[in-house]
Amino acid sequence: MTFTVLIPSYRRPDSLLHCLDSLLLGSRLPDEIVVVLRDLDEDSRRALDGWRATHPLPAGTNLRQTLADRPGQIVAMNCGLQAATGDVVCFTDDDCVPRPDWLERLSAHYGQDSVGGVGGRDLVHEEGTTLHGKVTEVGRLTWCGRLIGNHHLDYEGPALRVDHLKGANMSFRRELLQPFDERMSGGSSCLNDTDASLHVTGQGFRLIYDPLAIVDHYPAQRFDTSTRVKTDPGLVYSDSHNWVYCMFKHLGPVRRWVFFAYAVLVGGGSRLGLGKWLWRLPREPREATRSLVAATRGKFAGLRTYRQSRGQVPVNQNR
């Protein structure tokens, strides 16, 4: 099998070059590297040209550059997906540094025909510290639509089957992927990785999480309209919108409405529902209320987006 590594990048030339350097140190080299840049990002284009001039690629490894003419992560990923030719497309971010055995570990799981996607841990480094915390569950979708991530934390068991992977460290058989859904809102398009994961499992394939397939993640500044501040009303709105839209696409008729009741009455993470708002209200009344308003608006907007898109997007009715 051949493997493409796809890296969308915008205004982070130094981080991008570190990511590329790490790929060439791998025990299993990619057959193809696709770098997607914005057409307006001259600094990154110059940096990539300089890197290519001083880093001869090993035999069997090809590097392609493609340009996105519109903002947004999903636009960039779709440009890269159109250019990719590998049997498997591996996604990582430009502010990630894959470990030397990263691609080797991902590729090992594709020996099973039933495996449609494989991902691993993104070990997050922030402000000189590394985020840790022991967990027993990774990448789960509960019956009511609650998403459990934990891909960045310490799971000490063997590789396991999961429901969804994380965008900074995920891979899929290219034949199973469809273009990423541009109805997902926000600059970083939260949950586009979950949407892709559920599309693959909806076709009857398994997803594997290997905790030893690691990329070191150094979260860098985001540009355009995207932000990393989880309480930012714009991010809360887009995250809530995408959560509802994604779950309605992939859950069956009964589970959709169980999920929506859970989303509005309880909520998850920054996507506050009434229950989580009441829990946070005594400690941070203004911020909690602001988040509740943004999350509620986003959830109903996600429901509208789903209704407007019916008949235009494939929906899995078997969950």
Side-chain angles (χ1 to χ4, degrees), residues 7-8 12 15 18-19 22 73 91-99 102 120-132 151-153 166-170 188 193 213-222 228 230:
I7 311 167
R12 299 174 181 170
S15 296
H18 286 309
C19 181
S22 68
Q73 186 185 49
F91 298 85
T92 192
D93 292 342
D94 59 1
D95 55 0
C96 291
V97 178
R99 297 275 177 95
W102 173 65
R121 181 179 184 182
D122 69 316
L123 187 59
V124 178
H125 305 265
E126 286 185 322
E127 300 178 354
T129 63
T130 304
L131 299 186
H132 288 285
H151 302 82
H152 64 299
L153 296 176
K166 188 171 181 179
N169 187 353
M170 66 181 185
S188 63
D193 44 11
I214 299 172
V215 300
D216 289 288
H217 192 179
Y218 301 87
Q221 180 182 358
R222 287 175 173 169
R228 291 192 184 278
K230 292 184 178 180

Side-chain angles (χ1 to χ4, degrees), residues 41-95:
D41 188 1
E42 294 291 341
D43 289 343
S44 294
R45 291 170 70 176
R46 282 194 295 269
L48 182 57
D49 288 342
W51 184 88
R52 295 176 76 168
T54 57
H55 291 72
L57 293 175
T61 298
N62 180 41
L63 189 148
R64 298 185 179 199
Q65 174 188 313
T66 185
L67 299 178
D69 59 2
R70 291 180 289 133
Q73 186 185 49
I74 282 182
V75 172
M77 292 169 73
N78 281 338
C79 285
L81 198 56
Q82 287 181 347
T85 63
D87 299 312
V88 174
V89 183
C90 308
F91 298 85
T92 192
D93 292 342
D94 59 1
D95 55 0

Side-chain angles (χ1 to χ4, degrees), residues 117-297:
V118 185
R121 181 179 184 182
D122 69 316
L123 187 59
V124 178
H125 305 265
E126 286 185 322
E127 300 178 354
T129 63
T130 304
L131 299 186
H132 288 285
K134 290 188 177 182
V135 295
T136 57
E137 294 182 300
V138 178
R140 279 196 59 222
L141 171 65
T142 68
W143 200 86
C144 68
R146 177 187 171 214
L147 288 169
I148 299 171
N150 296 335
H151 302 82
H152 64 299
L153 296 176
D154 301 300
Y155 172 78
E156 297 180 349
L160 76 159
R161 183 174 181 174
V162 296
D163 298 314
H164 61 102
L165 301 171
K166 188 171 181 179
N169 187 353
M170 66 181 185
S171 67
F172 302 101
R173 295 182 189 268
R174 183 166 59 91
E175 64 187 10
L176 302 180
L177 287 173
Q178 61 181 358
F180 290 89
D181 192 340
E182 292 192 25
R183 294 178 182 85
M184 292 282 189
S185 70
S188 63
S189 304
C190 310
L191 301 185
N192 67 76
D193 44 11
T194 301
D195 186 36
S197 297
L198 296 180
H199 175 71
V200 170
T201 60
Q203 297 173 73
F205 288 85
R206 296 185 297 132
L207 300 180
I208 301 296
Y209 172 79
D210 187 336
L212 298 180
I214 299 172
V215 300
D216 289 288
H217 192 179
Y218 301 87
Q221 180 182 358
R222 287 175 173 169
F223 298 94
D224 285 336
T225 59
S226 184
T227 176
R228 291 192 184 278
V229 181
K230 292 184 178 180
T231 56
D232 178 88
L235 181 60
V236 171
Y237 173 90
S238 63
D239 195 3
S240 301
H241 167 280
N242 295 349
W243 187 32
V244 169
Y245 175 53
C246 181
M247 292 300 104
F248 266 71
K249 280 176 66 175
H250 296 288
L251 298 181
V254 174
R255 288 182 67 188
R256 282 182 204 142
W257 294 108
V258 172
F259 156 74
F260 196 70
Y262 168 78
V264 172
L265 297 177
V266 181
S270 61
R271 318 170 196 111
L272 295 190
L274 291 173
K276 289 189 177 291
W277 170 70
L278 288 171
W279 181 74
R280 284 178 52 181
L281 188 63
R283 293 175 288 117
E284 41 192 11
R286 287 189 62 187
E287 187 173 285
T289 301
R290 187 174 65 167
S291 292
L292 176 67
V293 171
T296 303
R297 288 180 56 244

